[in-house]
Amino acid sequence: MSDDFEWDIHEMLVIPLTQFERVIANSAQPSGLDYHAVRLIKALLQHGLNQERSPKSFCELPPSVNAEFGDYLSLTLSSKLGIRLPDRLDDKQTVDIACLCNSAWDELDCPVKIGSLTRVRFLLQELLGVKKLTILINMI
């Protein structure tokens, strides 16, 4: 490809989107893993098309992408690993999971707490490099 070649993003999004729409419409098995993967891809392509048209530099994922991703993830985990995720409309189970995750979300923006020895090791690693630090630690 030459340096002056320019990708047509719109075309790269629209052509596969219409092809995947036909795959979904002609699907013989509308509940299989491949079907849900195609629906997720279609939702992501549609989101990309909306992002291209948007004046915003970042567009939040629409509920359609979240729903398709949730369906695909749930089906994949149940068919491949035997893990059943709670129904996202079941408030009791989703609230339980949200409560379990609250502490992780609360600490997301907090600085990482490390001990003084670990901090010294990181500083030495930055100053000396990984190989020299390994040799130094082995000498001690």
Side-chain angles (χ1 to χ4, degrees):
M1 254 185 256
S2 66
D3 290 337
D4 60 340
F5 179 81
E6 193 170 317
W7 291 98
D8 184 353
I9 301 296
H10 182 77
E11 187 175 295
M12 290 174 59
L13 292 169
V14 170
I15 290 174
L17 182 63
T18 56
Q19 291 171 338
F20 282 121
E21 284 173 349
R22 277 186 255 142
V23 169
I24 290 171
N26 298 327
S27 179
Q29 187 184 15
S31 60
L33 198 55
D34 291 341
Y35 175 78
H36 286 286
V38 170
R39 287 183 57 88
L40 175 60
I41 292 167
K42 180 188 174 288
L44 288 169
L45 286 168
Q46 185 63 51
H47 174 63
L49 199 58
N50 293 340
Q51 172 71 25
E52 180 202 22
R53 295 177 188 151
S54 174
K56 299 178 186 175
S57 60
F58 176 77
C59 288
E60 200 172 301
L61 282 177
S64 61
V65 173
N66 289 329
E68 292 303 331
F69 179 70
D71 290 346
Y72 179 73
L73 183 64
S74 179
L75 185 61
T76 302
L77 289 173
S78 69
S79 66
K80 301 296 182 188
L81 301 175
I83 298 172
R84 189 181 67 80
L85 295 179
D87 185 343
R88 61 181 162 265
L89 298 177
D90 183 352
D91 288 338
K92 184 177 181 187
Q93 291 181 345
T94 54
V95 167
D96 289 345
I97 291 173
C99 289
L100 291 172
C101 298
N102 277 343
S103 63
W105 284 112
D106 292 343
E107 295 174 10
L108 183 65
D109 292 329
C110 295
V112 177
K113 298 174 186 170
I114 57 174
S116 57
L117 289 177
T118 306
R119 188 174 295 122
V120 168
R121 189 184 67 143
F122 285 141
L123 288 172
L124 285 173
Q125 187 174 3
E126 284 180 25
L127 294 172
L128 301 174
V130 177
K131 286 186 178 182
K132 291 179 183 175
L133 180 63
T134 305
I135 294 170
L136 181 66
I137 289 173
N138 289 337
M139 290 173 57
I140 298 175

